[in-house]
Amino acid sequence: MLGFPTNKTLLRDCTDGKKVKGLRRRNKGLKAKRTVSTLILSKNLIEIMGNTSSMLTQYDIEEVQEHCNNTISQQEIVSLYQRFCQLDRNSGGFISADEFLSVPEFAVNPLSQRLFRMIDGLNFKEFVAFLSAFSSRATLQHKVEYIFKVYDSDGNGKVSFSDLLDVLRDLTGQFISEQQRELVLTQVLEEAGYKKDSTLVLSDFMKILGNSGLKMEVEIPVD
């Protein structure tokens, strides 16, 4: 099987000096090929990662990728690590909400305060996991779980009408009145089969957003 000698063949070969030497040469050849492959892979990673990410090993990359259920490619992980190092000004291995404020897209986002609550104090692995919800390879379940966390401000696993209204208030600002917001939200809930006093859990969000053609994707630049 797979070109490996059977036990009987191996025992017979071990009594034959010429064949033993042949096997040794063959093994050395395989080891040499593996070594060359490893060196080429390492060289490519170093070239991709550059000086700013030299502390990120192939093992680290694969571990982060597995943690994100392979929704982020290895090259994307390297690019995100470079960005992470830029944000982590004190090189503590964690990113604070204040450091995220240096990213203009987050600073002007109407939901920035809610997002900061979710990202404050993240290490690199958690940082990538947080962003993986925006990957085109992320499942609908993953994306809905992310949205649910944005609404679930106190982290109790439940979203009330008040929680929904708070997010809608952040999104609309002064463009519509409070009365209009409540009217719109009540109508959306009723169309989905819920009432104003309903408490929603994750499965309810899946029911509401499951067939909505949800699009939530951001392209990660890869050098």
Side-chain angles (χ1 to χ4, degrees), residues 62-74:
E62 292 175 356
E63 186 179 25
V64 171
Q65 191 174 33
E66 184 178 354
H67 183 68
C68 300
N69 296 314
N70 296 306
T71 54
I72 305 291
S73 72
Q74 293 195 10

Side-chain angles (χ1 to χ4, degrees), residues 31-95:
K31 288 180 180 179
K33 288 180 180 179
R34 289 170 186 167
T35 302
V36 170
S37 299
T38 302
L39 288 173
I40 292 173
L41 178 59
S42 299
K43 180 178 181 294
N44 290 339
L45 284 170
I46 290 171
E47 290 175 350
I48 293 170
M49 295 190 310
N51 294 331
T52 57
S53 58
S54 58
M55 292 183 294
L56 196 63
T57 67
Q58 176 64 19
Y59 175 82
D60 295 329
I61 295 172
E62 292 175 356
E63 186 179 25
V64 171
Q65 191 174 33
E66 184 178 354
H67 183 68
C68 300
N69 296 314
N70 296 306
T71 54
I72 305 291
S73 72
Q74 293 195 10
Q75 285 188 317
E76 287 172 335
I77 289 172
V78 170
S79 294
L80 287 174
Y81 185 71
Q82 293 173 345
R83 186 58 171 157
F84 180 86
C85 291
Q86 292 171 356
L87 292 173
D88 183 19
R89 298 176 203 166
N90 61 1
S91 301
F94 299 89
I95 296 181

Side-chain angles (χ1 to χ4, degrees), residues 5-203:
T6 61
N7 289 339
K8 288 182 179 179
T9 304
L10 185 61
L11 287 172
R12 186 174 63 251
D13 289 346
C14 286
T15 62
D16 188 326
K18 293 181 180 179
K19 290 189 176 181
V20 169
K21 290 180 181 179
L23 285 172
R24 286 174 180 171
R25 282 196 295 268
R26 190 191 312 167
N27 289 337
K28 286 181 180 179
L30 289 172
K31 288 180 180 179
K33 288 180 180 179
R34 289 170 186 167
T35 302
V36 170
S37 299
T38 302
L39 288 173
I40 292 173
L41 178 59
S42 299
K43 180 178 181 294
N44 290 339
L45 284 170
I46 290 171
E47 290 175 350
I48 293 170
M49 295 190 310
N51 294 331
T52 57
S53 58
S54 58
M55 292 183 294
L56 196 63
T57 67
Q58 176 64 19
Y59 175 82
D60 295 329
I61 295 172
E62 292 175 356
E63 186 179 25
V64 171
Q65 191 174 33
E66 184 178 354
H67 183 68
C68 300
N69 296 314
N70 296 306
T71 54
I72 305 291
S73 72
Q74 293 195 10
Q75 285 188 317
E76 287 172 335
I77 289 172
V78 170
S79 294
L80 287 174
Y81 185 71
Q82 293 173 345
R83 186 58 171 157
F84 180 86
C85 291
Q86 292 171 356
L87 292 173
D88 183 19
R89 298 176 203 166
N90 61 1
S91 301
F94 299 89
I95 296 181
S96 67
D98 289 338
E99 288 171 327
F100 254 103
L101 279 172
S102 64
V103 182
E105 294 83 357
F106 276 98
V108 300
N109 192 301
L111 298 177
S112 60
Q113 293 304 314
R114 292 176 177 271
L115 294 175
F116 290 156
R117 172 182 56 80
M118 297 169 63
I119 61 183
D120 190 22
L122 296 185
N123 60 29
F124 177 62
K125 185 189 292 187
E126 295 163 341
F127 171 74
V128 178
F130 170 80
L131 295 176
S132 66
F134 296 98
S135 169
S136 60
R137 294 180 288 274
T139 63
L140 177 63
Q141 174 80 18
H142 189 180
K143 295 179 186 293
V144 173
E145 286 176 357
Y146 177 94
I147 294 172
F148 183 79
K149 288 178 181 178
V150 173
Y151 282 86
D152 183 20
S153 58
D154 57 5
N156 67 350
K158 299 177 182 179
V159 173
S160 65
F161 184 85
S162 177
D163 293 326
L164 295 170
L165 193 60
D166 285 342
V167 173
L168 187 58
R169 192 180 295 117
D170 291 339
L171 291 172
T172 58
Q174 303 298 319
F175 292 104
I176 65 174
S177 67
E178 188 73 4
Q179 184 178 4
Q180 288 175 310
R181 276 191 286 264
E182 290 192 22
L183 184 62
V184 169
L185 189 53
T186 300
Q187 183 178 350
V188 170
L189 286 173
E190 288 178 350
E191 288 178 355
Y194 299 93
K195 298 180 180 179
K196 186 175 179 179
D197 59 352
S198 298
T199 299
L200 307 182
V201 295
L202 179 59
S203 58

